[in-house]
């Protein structure tokens, strides 16, 4: 099997959005692009009904089989095409981790499962995100889809939030650059990707009934900046607006978000689709929403049955329908959807599995390696593998993004109750780590116990050379977690095994940062996240030293919930929603209405810890290697932006990839990431890295002046191994400037 080419980025490209690709030809300002010309021509031929047809979608599962168009794939959404005008149907599938198949809606259908978003983010490698997006997008096309609802980039504000596993971490630059690359990859197949969920949908509790209150400057410098970078660099055809309210107005009818920010400030040309069951009025059309998705999940068909009478009596101008239809057509033409043949090619799952393997290799983070226990290089005679259903596969996150991996799930546990029970499930699949370890450590006796008998596992561990505990924590859409603990009795299991055998490794398969009360007893800990189709192989390769871990944390691991901006997860102390709540707020309601405030504002994650002077369990950007790297010769330049050049040297005995990070600290502010690189270096090899900051990262947003404002004066520059581990420091002077939003 030809190995997937090692994917890495040059420094300059990363700071400016490394995706190995230009962002496509951009017309000169004011000049109509080719797609726009076609849009006008097509719109002129469309009837009112045809225009409205583009504005609302349903779900195939709700269409009787006999009424489904030939070849209609059963996925998340469908909008009929207009054959006489060459407008293709819009067949939508989830999502960011592969072609999902929730509730087994396509009986027996499988797809290549990428590792979770936090694993992808741990690679800090835009080229890899792009390749992963290309791969999953190609499988979507092969299965008949031309809209892929991939591109989740909500910031990880609270490590207990249920969908963090789908997203790309806590930093707007890292998340924005990576989601852009993913979107480029998906759209390189001639289909539309959807950056989501716009905006401030940072937790599941209250996703349909809560209002997030945050001042504009904090929004602009955090969640909105991640979307802005993702849209600028990735050019998604669509934005998916979120369920929640922002400032008391639903995101999907929020003029500030959908018109002022997205169109007036950012010049977004594509269309806004709603989340499924997130529309509450026809007037949302006037705020900037263009398409009602999954209309049967809403209380009314706001963009069809409810729209027509309002067009007739003028309460809604036809111009609003024209605008929405043009945006949808623009995305179809600009991404080439009308030229993309769907469901015509076979899928090479073996080849695609190699992409998932490379992603898992680079997305696994070596958190701790006391005494250089790893890699297990010496003669290992016996390995005891414990727990995590490691004999069956690896865990995946629940909800719309869940991919049934090639080979299917080998263990599925129903969720008995709660808002996720109707459509999510705990499931394990992909290469079982036990099989991978047996193949990799061919000369060792590799045995397995499931961990249900803690004492039995400890006794068995005592007799083995090495014990490897796979520890899991399930996470799902529609529900958050109330604490940071591993599921069930795993903390006790790990404690007992590590007490019985000092050569214990813990491999975490979690959707979030977790607490580790046993940490001082365990010499080696890997964060494998939900490692996807070939995750078992990646873990085995890293334990054996066949792969040198290069993952770096995209999220902070707190010591405990007390360190968090909201020690109690917002809304977790509320009663369940009433029938009236559900009737008012829609199908996805999982709580009574409440207000969410995020005290950290723009200082998400490591910036909160910096602001509070708190020391986390593991810092943003942290990750160990089997070799060592030195930073030297820092040269910095100030002025209108910051430019930092420095040398990275592999001072160890084996090849490895490092992720040097550059942070800036403005006076009175918390540090913030302004760039990184990922050089792969042979022993003794050195490379000069140059990072140039996007000036918006050196600014504060002034909501009164509606400008990014860079203040003049000295700022601190750090070249670091993590947000808590600066190595080289310097100061530069910035000159004052203002930048349009
Ligand atoms: C879900 C999710 C969204 C997904 C959509 C279609 O509720 O919020 O991410 O794309 O519905 O399944």
């Amino acid at each position: 099997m030809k190995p997937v080419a090692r994917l890495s980025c040059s420094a300059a490209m990363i700071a400016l959005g490394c995706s190995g690709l230009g962002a496509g030809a951009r017309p000169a300002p004011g000049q109509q692009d080719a797609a726009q010309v076609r849009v006008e021509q097509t719109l002129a031929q469309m009837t009112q009904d045809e225009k409205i047809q583009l504005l609302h979608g349903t779900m195939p599962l709700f269409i009787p089989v006999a009424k489904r168009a030939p070849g209609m794939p059963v996925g998340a959404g469908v909008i009929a095409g207009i054959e006489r005008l060459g407008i293709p149907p819009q067949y939508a599938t989830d999502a960011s981790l592969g072609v999902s198949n929730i509730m087994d809606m396509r009986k027996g259908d499988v797809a290549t499962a990428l590792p979770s978003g936090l694993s992808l983010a741990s690679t800090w490698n835009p080229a890899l995100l792009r390749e992963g997006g290309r791969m999953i997008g190609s499988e979507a096309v092969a299965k008949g889809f031309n809209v892929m609802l991939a591109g989740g980039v909500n910031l990880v504000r609270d490590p207990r939030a249920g969908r963090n596993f789908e997203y790309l971490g806590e930093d707007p630059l890292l998340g924005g650059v990576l989601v852009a690359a993913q979107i480029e990859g998906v759209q390189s197949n001639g289909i539309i990707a959807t950056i989501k969920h716009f905006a401030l949908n940072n937790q599941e509790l209250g996703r349909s009934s809560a209002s997030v209150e945050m001042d504009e400057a904090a929004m602009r410098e955090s969640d909105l900046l991640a979307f802005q970078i993702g849209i600028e660099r990735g050019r998604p055809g669509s934005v998916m607006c979120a369920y929640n309210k922002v400032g008391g107005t639903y995101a999907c009818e929020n003029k500030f978000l959908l018109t002022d920010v997205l169109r007036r400030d950012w010049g977004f040309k594509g269309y806004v689709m709603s989340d499924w069951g997130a529309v509450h009025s026809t007037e949302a059309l006037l705020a900037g929403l263009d398409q009602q998705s999954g209309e049967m999940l809403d209380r009314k068909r706001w963009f069809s049955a409810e729209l027509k009478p309002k067009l007739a009596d003028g309460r809604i101008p036809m111009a609003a329908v024209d605008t929405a239809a043009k945006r949808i057509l623009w995305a179809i033409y600009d991404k080439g959807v009308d030229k993309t043949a769907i469901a015509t090619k076979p899928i090479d799952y073996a080849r695609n599995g190699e992409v998932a393997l490379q992603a898992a290799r680079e997305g696994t983070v070596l958190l701790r390696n006391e005494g250089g226990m790893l890699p297990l290089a010496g003669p290992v005679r016996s390995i005891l593998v414990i727990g995590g259903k490691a004999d069956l596969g690896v865990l995946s996150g629940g909800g719309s993004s869940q991919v049934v991996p090639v080979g299917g799930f080998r263990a599925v546990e129903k969720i008995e109750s709660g808002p996720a029970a109707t459509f999510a499930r705990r499931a394990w699949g992909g290469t079982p780590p036990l099989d991978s370890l047996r193949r990799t450590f061919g000369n060792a006796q590799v045995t397995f116990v499931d961990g249900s008998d803690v004492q039995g596992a400890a006794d068995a561990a005592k007799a083995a050379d090495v014990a490897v505990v796979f520890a899991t924590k399930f996470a799902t859409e529609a529900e958050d977690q109330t604490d940071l603990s591993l599921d069930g009795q795993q903390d006790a299991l790990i404690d007992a095994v590590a007490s019985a055998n000092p050569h214990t490794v813990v491999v975490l398969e979690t959707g979030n940062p977790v607490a580790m009360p046993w940490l001082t007893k365990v010499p080696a800990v890997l964060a494998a996240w939900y490692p996807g189709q070939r995750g078992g192989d990646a873990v085995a390769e890293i334990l054996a030293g066949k792969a040198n871990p290069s993952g770096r944390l995209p999220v902070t691991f707190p010591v405990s919930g007390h360190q968090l901006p909201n020690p109690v997860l917002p809304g977790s102390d509320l009663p369940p929603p009433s029938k009236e709540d559900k009737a008012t707020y829609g199908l996805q309601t999982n709580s009574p209405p409440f207000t969410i405030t995020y005290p950290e504002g723009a200082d998400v994650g490591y910036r909160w810890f910096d602001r509070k002077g708190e020391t986390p369990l593991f810092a943003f950007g942290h990750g160990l290697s089997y070799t060592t790297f030195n930073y030297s010769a820092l040269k910095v330049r100030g002025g209108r932006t910051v430019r930092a050049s420095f040398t990275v040297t592999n001072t160890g005995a084996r090849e490895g990839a490092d992720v040097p990070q550059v942070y800036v600290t403005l006076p009175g502010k918390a540090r913030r990431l302004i760039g990184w690189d990922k050089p792969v270096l042979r022993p003794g090899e050195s490379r000069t890295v140059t990072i140039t900051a996007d000036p918006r990262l050196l600014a504060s947003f002034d909501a009164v002046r509606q400008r990014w404002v860079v203040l003049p004066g000295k700022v601190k520059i750090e070249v670091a191994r993590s947000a808590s581990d600066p190595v080289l420091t310097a100061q530069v002077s910035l000159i004052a400037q203002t930048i349009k939003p």
Side-chain angles (χ1 to χ4, degrees), residues 186-206:
V186 168
Q187 295 189 148
S188 68
N189 294 284
I191 61 177
I192 290 168
T194 323
I195 194 168
K196 68 185 185 181
H197 307 83
F198 192 63
L200 290 166
N201 183 184
N202 305 95
Q203 66 179 62
E204 292 306 284
L205 209 47

Side-chain angles (χ1 to χ4, degrees), residues 10 14 16 62 65 71 84 100 128 130 199 201 216 240 265 267 287 305 386 408 459 557 560 580 582 610 704:
S10 78
I14 280 185
L16 298 171
F62 289 79
V65 176
R84 73 180 187 87
S100 71
L128 190 62
R130 188 188 181 288
N201 183 184
E216 181 178 350
M240 184 190 292
D265 294 345
I386 305 165
D459 295 343
F557 274 57
S560 78
E580 294 70 33
K582 283 189 173 286
D610 189 27
V704 174

